[in-house]
Amino acid sequence: MKRRILYVASAVTVAAICQGPAGDIVERFRARSIEAEKKGLAEPFKGVTTNGEVVPGLFGIKSTGVTTEPARKAAEAFLSALTPEQRSKTTFDIDDPEWRKWMNQHFYVRQGVSFKEMSEAQREAAISMLRASLSAKGLQLTRDIMRLNHTLGELTNNFVEYGEYFYHITVMGQPSKTEPWGWQLEGHHLLVNYFVLGDQVVMTPMFVGSEPVIAKEGKYKGTMILQDEQKLGLALINGLSEAQQAKAILEREKKRNNNQSEAWKDNVVIPYAGLPVSEMNAQQQKQLLQVVEAYVGNMSAGHAKIRMDEIRGQLDKTYFAWVGGTAPGSIFYYRIHSPVVLIEFDHQSAAGLRNVVPNPNLPNHEHVHAVMRTPNGNDYGKDLLRQHLAKHPHPHTH
């Protein structure tokens, strides 16, 4: 596979959906995207760390005993459903920087083929690939985020920037039983990276969110996301003693967006903070793992179990931190952080709905971001890929 020319595909997509001459908006989006990528990719990938140094030896190539064949076959079927031109702009080398090229903002010029460009048969093939890779819960979350982006279009009367099908898929490597490969789904408030090596899967970074998080009217009325993640987090902080809360709560008022590991933050340094999970009792630790499971459970069941076992193995090195109120209806941020997982949940200030909410500069319940990462170098499966390439160099790898 050859490397692709940047920005062309998505710029054409933007032009196609704009009414009238679209040159100005396409060029503006292109320029902003190039600048974001230039800054975001200025440093080689290292991974999320607590002090700038990667902890070695946390991840290894091994058999999990959980098949990835359904995902491989569905990915092959998806690629086969594309036209040669679509397939050309959708496929990348396994080590391509395309893995790291994601951004929440709607204006970002994305690679690959979008649902907007796909035929109905191609969309079904794409959904089938997601279904074969994710749990039913994960697929539901993915589709509901896309639907809520349509709701945002309805609320703002802006279907140039928002819509259900403004989401792109790229495939890195060739779907294989033995060689590394993967796919990425990306768009406004949604990023899923799915790296596969044999029967191992790494599904981070994963970014999910929406504005609004509940559709109160319109085509997808009743659709809602991240309510369990919100409720379980609030239950966890309220299940702590006063002394434990004093350690866990970093700030009692939430006045800003707190997420630290979103787009272009692959190498962010986040020191451990808050309450050590080793100081929780068994019931509290169970509650914390329920929160983690709400995120990890977006993977298919077998691989989610493997991932949860990995996280349990580092429980004595895990921390829980909180910003904001603890009463029902409070606005808050929380973080679960260990050598092998970083989860952030954040009520955000208004963006697309600035003209709708009462205090647009303050975080609110109708705009939520959540992100999950694998610290210490294994986001995008990069540590597994590094180990694989050390033993099996690929001639096309740079």
Side-chain angles (χ1 to χ4, degrees), residues 153-210:
E154 291 176 328
L155 292 171
T156 58
N157 194 29
N158 180 358
F159 289 104
V160 169
E161 296 176 323
Y162 308 123
E164 181 178 359
Y165 292 133
F166 296 174
Y167 293 85
H168 289 67
I169 293 178
T170 53
V171 176
M172 274 60 80
Q174 295 279 8
S176 168
K177 293 183 180 181
T178 57
E179 295 298 308
W181 67 279
W183 56 262
Q184 182 187 82
L185 170 65
E186 201 236 337
H188 189 213
H189 281 128
L190 179 62
L191 166 80
V192 182
N193 285 291
Y194 197 87
F195 172 87
V196 181
L197 177 58
D199 60 11
Q200 288 181 274
V201 171
V202 177
M203 207 172 89
T204 60
M206 182 173 185
F207 174 95
V208 292
S210 187

Side-chain angles (χ1 to χ4, degrees), residues 303-336:
H303 288 106
K305 182 181 184 304
I306 298 294
R307 180 69 166 136
M308 288 301 297
D309 287 346
E310 184 178 58
I311 292 166
R312 283 190 187 92
Q314 300 287 335
L315 205 55
D316 62 341
K317 299 178 182 177
T318 303
Y319 288 76
F320 174 61
W322 186 272
V323 172
T326 60
S330 291
I331 302 297
F332 55 82
Y333 159 90
Y334 66 76
R335 179 167 75 236
I336 297 171

Side-chain angles (χ1 to χ4, degrees), residues 123-251:
R123 285 177 188 168
E124 183 48 47
I127 295 297
S128 293
M129 184 178 73
L130 302 182
R131 184 180 294 112
S133 306
L134 308 175
S135 64
K137 174 182 181 293
L139 179 62
Q140 182 79 36
L141 174 61
T142 298
R143 290 294 289 118
D144 284 346
I145 290 171
M146 296 169 68
R147 293 176 180 122
L148 286 167
N149 205 43
H150 176 90
T151 301
L152 181 57
E154 291 176 328
L155 292 171
T156 58
N157 194 29
N158 180 358
F159 289 104
V160 169
E161 296 176 323
Y162 308 123
E164 181 178 359
Y165 292 133
F166 296 174
Y167 293 85
H168 289 67
I169 293 178
T170 53
V171 176
M172 274 60 80
Q174 295 279 8
S176 168
K177 293 183 180 181
T178 57
E179 295 298 308
W181 67 279
W183 56 262
Q184 182 187 82
L185 170 65
E186 201 236 337
H188 189 213
H189 281 128
L190 179 62
L191 166 80
V192 182
N193 285 291
Y194 197 87
F195 172 87
V196 181
L197 177 58
D199 60 11
Q200 288 181 274
V201 171
V202 177
M203 207 172 89
T204 60
M206 182 173 185
F207 174 95
V208 292
S210 187
E211 184 187 29
V213 296
I214 301 174
K216 297 174 182 175
E217 55 188 28
K219 181 178 180 181
Y220 294 120
K221 181 180 179 180
T223 299
M224 62 182 69
I225 66 161
L226 297 175
Q227 298 304 291
D228 286 346
E229 293 81 353
Q230 181 172 273
K231 292 174 185 175
L232 289 169
L234 195 58
L236 175 58
I237 190 69
N238 281 300
L240 301 180
S241 69
E242 190 174 326
Q244 288 173 317
Q245 284 192 1
K247 285 189 177 182
I249 299 174
L250 307 182
E251 300 175 49

Side-chain angles (χ1 to χ4, degrees), residues 31 72 79 86 90 97 99 106 132 170 180 193 198 217 237 275 315 393:
R72 181 187 67 81
L79 290 173
Q86 289 172 323
T90 299
W99 281 111
H106 62 82
T170 53
N193 285 291
E217 55 188 28
I237 190 69
L275 176 69
L315 205 55

